[in-house]
Amino acid sequence: MSSDTSVLDVSHLDAGYGELQVLSDVDLRVDPGEYVAVVGPNGAGKSTAMKAVFGLADRLDGSITFEGTDITALPPEAVIREGMSYVPQSGNVFPSLTVAENLRLGAYILDDPPEERREAVFERFPVLAERLDESAGTLSGGQQQMLAMGCALVLDPELLLLDEPSAGLAPDLVDEMFDRIDAINEGGTAVLMVEQNAKEALRRCDRGYVLAQGENRYEGSGDDLLDDEEVRRQFLGG
Amino acid sequence: MGLAQNVVFGLVTGSYIAIAAIGFTLIYGIVNMINFAYGEFITIGAFVGILASGTLSLPLPIAALVAMVGGGLVSLVLARGFFTPINHTGPVPLLLTSIGLGLALRNAVRLVAGRGARYFDTSATTYRFEGLPDLPVGSVDLLGNLFVTSLQLVVVGSAVAVFLLLYTLLTRTDVGIAMRALADDEDLARVRGIDTQRVRDSVWMLAGVLAGLAGVLIGIQTNVSAGIGFSFVLQILAAAILGGAGSPYGAIAGSYVIGLVLALSTAFLPSGMTGISSAIAFLVLVIVLLVKPSGIAGREVREA
């Protein structure tokens, strides 16, 4: 256990939606500046794990600690104030709001959002600066994903939760998206990413978890998991 | 009386319906409920205005402000008491609760205030435009002599002020942008750190403020009685749906369509048939919905 030093420590977590339990006894850990990927088949509970950490799914048992603070009972609107941002897989921008309004709500919890944070987002995603007054619903899938990340990064979070960032992107944009995530992580932000594209995610991350049927199956460095015979056979298609 | 005069009447009616319909449609879009008690919010606002101007002898603009504050508080308290606790149960229980609450409030007001009509103590200046050509087409005069009263100008002017302030609120302030965000996606609003209950409370306040203003404006045009708000609730509903339920700008457009249809059908239907002018307004609603189910400004209703 390293709850003293880790950014996020999920311990023995049971979670789900009302009566429906999806996760049982899940452990996840993210150390400062670390890039952690969670992979596994459809329905493994990967997205539920993210939602449970952020407070959008019901935590039934276990504990979630963020930078030493117990956040197990906190709703999303409180979790974000602890210094963690979450980019959902779909519905991650407000389609009828403009790009500028979306970014403004990204910094909603700050009384006086520093202008340089917005500038930093534009530096990372220049296309957003060009389309400030357009409604987010008119952006392409890739641009919406950038806007969603921009909204999360405006807060300069300690930890960024990404749910399937490559989902729905054209194949040639997937690599670009992973490069951007690498860059965010190299800037010092810890990343916890759920990904369907398991091979690419494990290749990029520092450490990975394999989740199946709502339980931890394997844990290790990305390279070790990629090399593991069992993981390859069961989860990476040989 | 020519067409032009009736257009004036229609714009006045459309103006107070629009103020109320904005409040109604914001509740629909953001709290996700059809609030049938909204007519009673208007009635209560109108009576607060009558109290302030009659009993307390406050000047009319101040009385209107008192009615707006009163309407906002009453709306928030009623919402907290009756709607917020069952917010999670979905639109149908909320609708039924609002019908029951409206019935109870209507009769409570009747019990306290009696059946009679009250009047605002107003003095109006009438501006007459005489000597205008009639421009007759068949039996209808397109122009003709017309008059506008200062009270009518107050109603239309208040509506325009409300539209501008509403636009500013919804596009320039954090709480206004958060309201629109909540209408888009409640989960994402929470992920952004928005306290959704506080935003809903603000929406209830705003809707009540608008109901209070609408109540006073209807009151100075006609009179104030226990059933005054209820008599408008179907027209407000029609205007909101016509404009695209949940869209405040659509509700404004819908309100003027309803106002004009009411005025023109009253004026130009054969004398025995003027009673069906509201029916004509609903006929317009049905036709619009058949042609464009999402309303004038609306997103697809199915997606909502």
PDB file of all heavy atoms in Angstrom, chain B residues 112-140:
ATOM      1  N   VAL B 112     -59.152  33.358   0.432  1.00  0.00           N
ATOM      2  CA  VAL B 112     -58.605  34.527   1.140  1.00  0.00           C
ATOM      3  C   VAL B 112     -59.080  35.824   0.496  1.00  0.00           C
ATOM      4  O   VAL B 112     -59.491  36.765   1.179  1.00  0.00           O
ATOM      5  CB  VAL B 112     -57.052  34.470   1.129  1.00  0.00           C
ATOM      6  CG1 VAL B 112     -56.472  35.740   1.753  1.00  0.00           C
ATOM      7  CG2 VAL B 112     -56.574  33.243   1.875  1.00  0.00           C
ATOM      8  N   ALA B 113     -59.052  35.861  -0.829  1.00  0.00           N
ATOM      9  CA  ALA B 113     -59.276  37.136  -1.523  1.00  0.00           C
ATOM     10  C   ALA B 113     -60.708  37.306  -2.012  1.00  0.00           C
ATOM     11  O   ALA B 113     -61.095  38.390  -2.444  1.00  0.00           O
ATOM     12  CB  ALA B 113     -58.314  37.254  -2.700  1.00  0.00           C
ATOM     13  N   GLY B 114     -61.477  36.236  -1.957  1.00  0.00           N
ATOM     14  CA  GLY B 114     -62.847  36.329  -2.441  1.00  0.00           C
ATOM     15  C   GLY B 114     -62.925  36.176  -3.949  1.00  0.00           C
ATOM     16  O   GLY B 114     -61.912  35.998  -4.622  1.00  0.00           O
ATOM     17  N   ARG B 115     -64.179  36.244  -4.451  1.00  0.00           N
ATOM     18  CA  ARG B 115     -64.379  35.987  -5.863  1.00  0.00           C
ATOM     19  C   ARG B 115     -64.255  37.228  -6.723  1.00  0.00           C
ATOM     20  O   ARG B 115     -64.103  37.137  -7.931  1.00  0.00           O
ATOM     21  CB  ARG B 115     -65.767  35.381  -6.089  1.00  0.00           C
ATOM     22  CG  ARG B 115     -65.879  33.995  -5.534  1.00  0.00           C
ATOM     23  CD  ARG B 115     -67.244  33.387  -5.814  1.00  0.00           C
ATOM     24  NE  ARG B 115     -67.217  31.991  -5.364  1.00  0.00           N
ATOM     25  CZ  ARG B 115     -66.795  30.997  -6.105  1.00  0.00           C
ATOM     26  NH1 ARG B 115     -66.359  31.208  -7.331  1.00  0.00           N
ATOM     27  NH2 ARG B 115     -66.785  29.766  -5.638  1.00  0.00           N
ATOM     28  N   GLY B 116     -64.358  38.373  -6.105  1.00  0.00           N
ATOM     29  CA  GLY B 116     -64.427  39.608  -6.887  1.00  0.00           C
ATOM     30  C   GLY B 116     -63.129  39.933  -7.595  1.00  0.00           C
ATOM     31  O   GLY B 116     -62.075  39.398  -7.278  1.00  0.00           O
ATOM     32  N   ALA B 117     -63.241  40.814  -8.585  1.00  0.00           N
ATOM     33  CA  ALA B 117     -62.053  41.251  -9.307  1.00  0.00           C
ATOM     34  C   ALA B 117     -61.492  42.512  -8.653  1.00  0.00           C
ATOM     35  O   ALA B 117     -62.240  43.348  -8.155  1.00  0.00           O
ATOM     36  CB  ALA B 117     -62.406  41.519 -10.763  1.00  0.00           C
ATOM     37  N   ARG B 118     -60.178  42.612  -8.599  1.00  0.00           N
ATOM     38  CA  ARG B 118     -59.514  43.827  -8.101  1.00  0.00           C
ATOM     39  C   ARG B 118     -58.884  44.543  -9.285  1.00  0.00           C
ATOM     40  O   ARG B 118     -58.533  43.922 -10.282  1.00  0.00           O
ATOM     41  CB  ARG B 118     -58.410  43.483  -7.106  1.00  0.00           C
ATOM     42  CG  ARG B 118     -58.734  42.372  -6.149  1.00  0.00           C
ATOM     43  CD  ARG B 118     -59.505  42.927  -4.979  1.00  0.00           C
ATOM     44  NE  ARG B 118     -59.876  41.854  -4.069  1.00  0.00           N
ATOM     45  CZ  ARG B 118     -59.356  41.714  -2.861  1.00  0.00           C
ATOM     46  NH1 ARG B 118     -58.427  42.541  -2.448  1.00  0.00           N
ATOM     47  NH2 ARG B 118     -59.778  40.745  -2.070  1.00  0.00           N
ATOM     48  N   TYR B 119     -58.706  45.825  -9.092  1.00  0.00           N
ATOM     49  CA  TYR B 119     -58.115  46.596 -10.181  1.00  0.00           C
ATOM     50  C   TYR B 119     -56.902  47.376  -9.685  1.00  0.00           C
ATOM     51  O   TYR B 119     -56.900  47.859  -8.554  1.00  0.00           O
ATOM     52  CB  TYR B 119     -59.152  47.575 -10.763  1.00  0.00           C
ATOM     53  CG  TYR B 119     -60.286  46.852 -11.442  1.00  0.00           C
ATOM     54  CD1 TYR B 119     -61.375  46.399 -10.700  1.00  0.00           C
ATOM     55  CD2 TYR B 119     -60.251  46.592 -12.803  1.00  0.00           C
ATOM     56  CE1 TYR B 119     -62.409  45.703 -11.304  1.00  0.00           C
ATOM     57  CE2 TYR B 119     -61.283  45.900 -13.421  1.00  0.00           C
ATOM     58  CZ  TYR B 119     -62.359  45.457 -12.661  1.00  0.00           C
ATOM     59  OH  TYR B 119     -63.370  44.765 -13.268  1.00  0.00           O
ATOM     60  N   PHE B 120     -55.901  47.464 -10.523  1.00  0.00           N
ATOM     61  CA  PHE B 120     -54.790  48.358 -10.210  1.00  0.00           C
ATOM     62  C   PHE B 120     -55.273  49.785 -10.433  1.00  0.00           C
ATOM     63  O   PHE B 120     -56.039  50.062 -11.365  1.00  0.00           O
ATOM     64  CB  PHE B 120     -53.592  48.076 -11.125  1.00  0.00           C
ATOM     65  CG  PHE B 120     -52.762  46.919 -10.674  1.00  0.00           C
ATOM     66  CD1 PHE B 120     -52.946  45.651 -11.230  1.00  0.00           C
ATOM     67  CD2 PHE B 120     -51.804  47.087  -9.688  1.00  0.00           C
ATOM     68  CE1 PHE B 120     -52.182  44.585 -10.805  1.00  0.00           C
ATOM     69  CE2 PHE B 120     -51.027  46.018  -9.267  1.00  0.00           C
ATOM     70  CZ  PHE B 120     -51.221  44.767  -9.817  1.00  0.00           C
ATOM     71  N   ASP B 121     -54.838  50.676  -9.553  1.00  0.00           N
ATOM     72  CA  ASP B 121     -55.195  52.078  -9.691  1.00  0.00           C
ATOM     73  C   ASP B 121     -54.246  52.710 -10.700  1.00  0.00           C
ATOM     74  O   ASP B 121     -53.135  53.117 -10.362  1.00  0.00           O
ATOM     75  CB  ASP B 121     -55.078  52.752  -8.316  1.00  0.00           C
ATOM     76  CG  ASP B 121     -55.544  54.189  -8.378  1.00  0.00           C
ATOM     77  OD1 ASP B 121     -56.200  54.544  -9.378  1.00  0.00           O
ATOM     78  OD2 ASP B 121     -55.252  54.942  -7.428  1.00  0.00           O
ATOM     79  N   THR B 122     -54.671  52.723 -11.948  1.00  0.00           N
ATOM     80  CA  THR B 122     -53.773  53.215 -12.991  1.00  0.00           C
ATOM     81  C   THR B 122     -54.404  54.382 -13.708  1.00  0.00           C
ATOM     82  O   THR B 122     -55.621  54.516 -13.766  1.00  0.00           O
ATOM     83  CB  THR B 122     -53.496  52.132 -14.041  1.00  0.00           C
ATOM     84  OG1 THR B 122     -54.751  51.684 -14.557  1.00  0.00           O
ATOM     85  CG2 THR B 122     -52.734  50.974 -13.471  1.00  0.00           C
ATOM     86  N   SER B 123     -53.590  55.238 -14.228  1.00  0.00           N
ATOM     87  CA  SER B 123     -54.087  56.261 -15.132  1.00  0.00           C
ATOM     88  C   SER B 123     -53.277  56.137 -16.411  1.00  0.00           C
ATOM     89  O   SER B 123     -52.063  56.036 -16.367  1.00  0.00           O
ATOM     90  CB  SER B 123     -53.899  57.648 -14.526  1.00  0.00           C
ATOM     91  OG  SER B 123     -52.553  57.821 -14.166  1.00  0.00           O
ATOM     92  N   ALA B 124     -54.007  56.097 -17.515  1.00  0.00           N
ATOM     93  CA  ALA B 124     -53.311  55.891 -18.780  1.00  0.00           C
ATOM     94  C   ALA B 124     -53.510  57.096 -19.686  1.00  0.00           C
ATOM     95  O   ALA B 124     -54.560  57.711 -19.685  1.00  0.00           O
ATOM     96  CB  ALA B 124     -53.847  54.636 -19.461  1.00  0.00           C
ATOM     97  N   THR B 125     -52.489  57.394 -20.420  1.00  0.00           N
ATOM     98  CA  THR B 125     -52.622  58.376 -21.492  1.00  0.00           C
ATOM     99  C   THR B 125     -52.884  57.600 -22.774  1.00  0.00           C
ATOM    100  O   THR B 125     -52.258  56.577 -23.014  1.00  0.00           O
ATOM    101  CB  THR B 125     -51.311  59.157 -21.667  1.00  0.00           C
ATOM    102  OG1 THR B 125     -50.819  59.506 -20.374  1.00  0.00           O
ATOM    103  CG2 THR B 125     -51.527  60.383 -22.512  1.00  0.00           C
ATOM    104  N   THR B 126     -53.840  58.092 -23.547  1.00  0.00           N
ATOM    105  CA  THR B 126     -54.129  57.414 -24.810  1.00  0.00           C
ATOM    106  C   THR B 126     -53.615  58.258 -25.972  1.00  0.00           C
ATOM    107  O   THR B 126     -53.896  59.452 -26.048  1.00  0.00           O
ATOM    108  CB  THR B 126     -55.650  57.194 -24.967  1.00  0.00           C
ATOM    109  OG1 THR B 126     -56.098  56.446 -23.836  1.00  0.00           O
ATOM    110  CG2 THR B 126     -55.950  56.428 -26.241  1.00  0.00           C
ATOM    111  N   TYR B 127     -52.792  57.609 -26.796  1.00  0.00           N
ATOM    112  CA  TYR B 127     -52.293  58.295 -27.988  1.00  0.00           C
ATOM    113  C   TYR B 127     -53.136  57.854 -29.172  1.00  0.00           C
ATOM    114  O   TYR B 127     -53.207  56.665 -29.470  1.00  0.00           O
ATOM    115  CB  TYR B 127     -50.824  57.933 -28.231  1.00  0.00           C
ATOM    116  CG  TYR B 127     -49.961  58.168 -27.014  1.00  0.00           C
ATOM    117  CD1 TYR B 127     -49.634  57.113 -26.164  1.00  0.00           C
ATOM    118  CD2 TYR B 127     -49.484  59.446 -26.710  1.00  0.00           C
ATOM    119  CE1 TYR B 127     -48.867  57.333 -25.030  1.00  0.00           C
ATOM    120  CE2 TYR B 127     -48.718  59.671 -25.592  1.00  0.00           C
ATOM    121  CZ  TYR B 127     -48.399  58.611 -24.744  1.00  0.00           C
ATOM    122  OH  TYR B 127     -47.646  58.820 -23.631  1.00  0.00           O
ATOM    123  N   ARG B 128     -53.816  58.841 -29.797  1.00  0.00           N
ATOM    124  CA  ARG B 128     -54.668  58.480 -30.929  1.00  0.00           C
ATOM    125  C   ARG B 128     -54.011  58.866 -32.236  1.00  0.00           C
ATOM    126  O   ARG B 128     -53.379  59.904 -32.333  1.00  0.00           O
ATOM    127  CB  ARG B 128     -56.024  59.209 -30.809  1.00  0.00           C
ATOM    128  CG  ARG B 128     -56.833  58.676 -29.671  1.00  0.00           C
ATOM    129  CD  ARG B 128     -58.185  59.359 -29.561  1.00  0.00           C
ATOM    130  NE  ARG B 128     -58.795  58.934 -28.313  1.00  0.00           N
ATOM    131  CZ  ARG B 128     -59.372  57.754 -28.145  1.00  0.00           C
ATOM    132  NH1 ARG B 128     -59.431  56.896 -29.143  1.00  0.00           N
ATOM    133  NH2 ARG B 128     -59.888  57.427 -26.967  1.00  0.00           N
ATOM    134  N   PHE B 129     -54.152  57.994 -33.191  1.00  0.00           N
ATOM    135  CA  PHE B 129     -53.658  58.289 -34.535  1.00  0.00           C
ATOM    136  C   PHE B 129     -54.867  58.367 -35.448  1.00  0.00           C
ATOM    137  O   PHE B 129     -55.411  57.336 -35.853  1.00  0.00           O
ATOM    138  CB  PHE B 129     -52.668  57.218 -34.993  1.00  0.00           C
ATOM    139  CG  PHE B 129     -51.469  57.101 -34.080  1.00  0.00           C
ATOM    140  CD1 PHE B 129     -51.497  56.256 -32.976  1.00  0.00           C
ATOM    141  CD2 PHE B 129     -50.339  57.865 -34.305  1.00  0.00           C
ATOM    142  CE1 PHE B 129     -50.417  56.177 -32.118  1.00  0.00           C
ATOM    143  CE2 PHE B 129     -49.245  57.785 -33.448  1.00  0.00           C
ATOM    144  CZ  PHE B 129     -49.280  56.936 -32.347  1.00  0.00           C
ATOM    145  N   GLU B 130     -55.346  59.614 -35.671  1.00  0.00           N
ATOM    146  CA  GLU B 130     -56.571  59.799 -36.442  1.00  0.00           C
ATOM    147  C   GLU B 130     -56.226  60.111 -37.892  1.00  0.00           C
ATOM    148  O   GLU B 130     -55.091  60.467 -38.211  1.00  0.00           O
ATOM    149  CB  GLU B 130     -57.380  60.973 -35.871  1.00  0.00           C
ATOM    150  CG  GLU B 130     -57.568  60.959 -34.364  1.00  0.00           C
ATOM    151  CD  GLU B 130     -58.771  60.154 -33.939  1.00  0.00           C
ATOM    152  OE1 GLU B 130     -59.476  59.640 -34.838  1.00  0.00           O
ATOM    153  OE2 GLU B 130     -58.990  60.009 -32.730  1.00  0.00           O
ATOM    154  N   GLY B 131     -57.224  59.989 -38.702  1.00  0.00           N
ATOM    155  CA  GLY B 131     -57.067  60.411 -40.087  1.00  0.00           C
ATOM    156  C   GLY B 131     -56.185  59.504 -40.920  1.00  0.00           C
ATOM    157  O   GLY B 131     -55.743  59.879 -42.002  1.00  0.00           O
ATOM    158  N   LEU B 132     -55.903  58.322 -40.392  1.00  0.00           N
ATOM    159  CA  LEU B 132     -55.138  57.380 -41.201  1.00  0.00           C
ATOM    160  C   LEU B 132     -56.075  56.771 -42.240  1.00  0.00           C
ATOM    161  O   LEU B 132     -57.251  56.532 -41.957  1.00  0.00           O
ATOM    162  CB  LEU B 132     -54.556  56.280 -40.323  1.00  0.00           C
ATOM    163  CG  LEU B 132     -53.554  56.746 -39.258  1.00  0.00           C
ATOM    164  CD1 LEU B 132     -53.234  55.635 -38.289  1.00  0.00           C
ATOM    165  CD2 LEU B 132     -52.285  57.255 -39.926  1.00  0.00           C
ATOM    166  N   PRO B 133     -55.575  56.500 -43.427  1.00  0.00           N
ATOM    167  CA  PRO B 133     -56.445  55.883 -44.442  1.00  0.00           C
ATOM    168  C   PRO B 133     -56.863  54.473 -44.030  1.00  0.00           C
ATOM    169  O   PRO B 133     -56.120  53.808 -43.303  1.00  0.00           O
ATOM    170  CB  PRO B 133     -55.554  55.860 -45.690  1.00  0.00           C
ATOM    171  CG  PRO B 133     -54.159  55.940 -45.181  1.00  0.00           C
ATOM    172  CD  PRO B 133     -54.209  56.729 -43.908  1.00  0.00           C
ATOM    173  N   ASP B 134     -58.043  54.041 -44.456  1.00  0.00           N
ATOM    174  CA  ASP B 134     -58.545  52.738 -44.039  1.00  0.00           C
ATOM    175  C   ASP B 134     -57.911  51.583 -44.797  1.00  0.00           C
ATOM    176  O   ASP B 134     -57.813  50.479 -44.267  1.00  0.00           O
ATOM    177  CB  ASP B 134     -60.066  52.672 -44.232  1.00  0.00           C
ATOM    178  CG  ASP B 134     -60.769  53.452 -43.136  1.00  0.00           C
ATOM    179  OD1 ASP B 134     -60.098  53.758 -42.115  1.00  0.00           O
ATOM    180  OD2 ASP B 134     -61.959  53.749 -43.283  1.00  0.00           O
ATOM    181  N   LEU B 135     -57.498  51.836 -46.042  1.00  0.00           N
ATOM    182  CA  LEU B 135     -56.957  50.780 -46.908  1.00  0.00           C
ATOM    183  C   LEU B 135     -57.803  49.511 -46.877  1.00  0.00           C
ATOM    184  O   LEU B 135     -57.329  48.453 -46.501  1.00  0.00           O
ATOM    185  CB  LEU B 135     -55.516  50.421 -46.504  1.00  0.00           C
ATOM    186  CG  LEU B 135     -54.456  51.518 -46.537  1.00  0.00           C
ATOM    187  CD1 LEU B 135     -53.099  50.945 -46.110  1.00  0.00           C
ATOM    188  CD2 LEU B 135     -54.327  52.123 -47.928  1.00  0.00           C
ATOM    189  N   PRO B 136     -59.093  49.643 -47.250  1.00  0.00           N
ATOM    190  CA  PRO B 136     -59.957  48.460 -47.140  1.00  0.00           C
ATOM    191  C   PRO B 136     -59.629  47.392 -48.176  1.00  0.00           C
ATOM    192  O   PRO B 136     -59.313  47.707 -49.318  1.00  0.00           O
ATOM    193  CB  PRO B 136     -61.355  49.031 -47.384  1.00  0.00           C
ATOM    194  CG  PRO B 136     -61.131  50.277 -48.145  1.00  0.00           C
ATOM    195  CD  PRO B 136     -59.764  50.796 -47.823  1.00  0.00           C
ATOM    196  N   VAL B 137     -59.625  46.149 -47.725  1.00  0.00           N
ATOM    197  CA  VAL B 137     -59.556  45.009 -48.637  1.00  0.00           C
ATOM    198  C   VAL B 137     -60.754  44.137 -48.292  1.00  0.00           C
ATOM    199  O   VAL B 137     -60.782  43.533 -47.231  1.00  0.00           O
ATOM    200  CB  VAL B 137     -58.256  44.207 -48.464  1.00  0.00           C
ATOM    201  CG1 VAL B 137     -58.283  42.958 -49.338  1.00  0.00           C
ATOM    202  CG2 VAL B 137     -57.049  45.062 -48.787  1.00  0.00           C
ATOM    203  N   GLY B 138     -61.759  44.114 -49.176  1.00  0.00           N
ATOM    204  CA  GLY B 138     -62.994  43.433 -48.827  1.00  0.00           C
ATOM    205  C   GLY B 138     -63.618  44.110 -47.618  1.00  0.00           C
ATOM    206  O   GLY B 138     -63.724  45.346 -47.559  1.00  0.00           O
ATOM    207  N   SER B 139     -63.936  43.320 -46.586  1.00  0.00           N
ATOM    208  CA  SER B 139     -64.574  43.895 -45.412  1.00  0.00           C
ATOM    209  C   SER B 139     -63.555  44.272 -44.336  1.00  0.00           C
ATOM    210  O   SER B 139     -63.907  44.720 -43.259  1.00  0.00           O
ATOM    211  CB  SER B 139     -65.583  42.885 -44.842  1.00  0.00           C
ATOM    212  OG  SER B 139     -64.883  41.745 -44.421  1.00  0.00           O
ATOM    213  N   VAL B 140     -62.268  44.067 -44.632  1.00  0.00           N
ATOM    214  CA  VAL B 140     -61.235  44.312 -43.626  1.00  0.00           C
ATOM    215  C   VAL B 140     -60.456  45.583 -43.966  1.00  0.00           C
ATOM    216  O   VAL B 140     -59.988  45.749 -45.085  1.00  0.00           O
ATOM    217  CB  VAL B 140     -60.258  43.112 -43.561  1.00  0.00           C
ATOM    218  CG1 VAL B 140     -59.131  43.405 -42.580  1.00  0.00           C
ATOM    219  CG2 VAL B 140     -61.000  41.857 -43.170  1.00  0.00           C
TER     220      VAL B 140
END
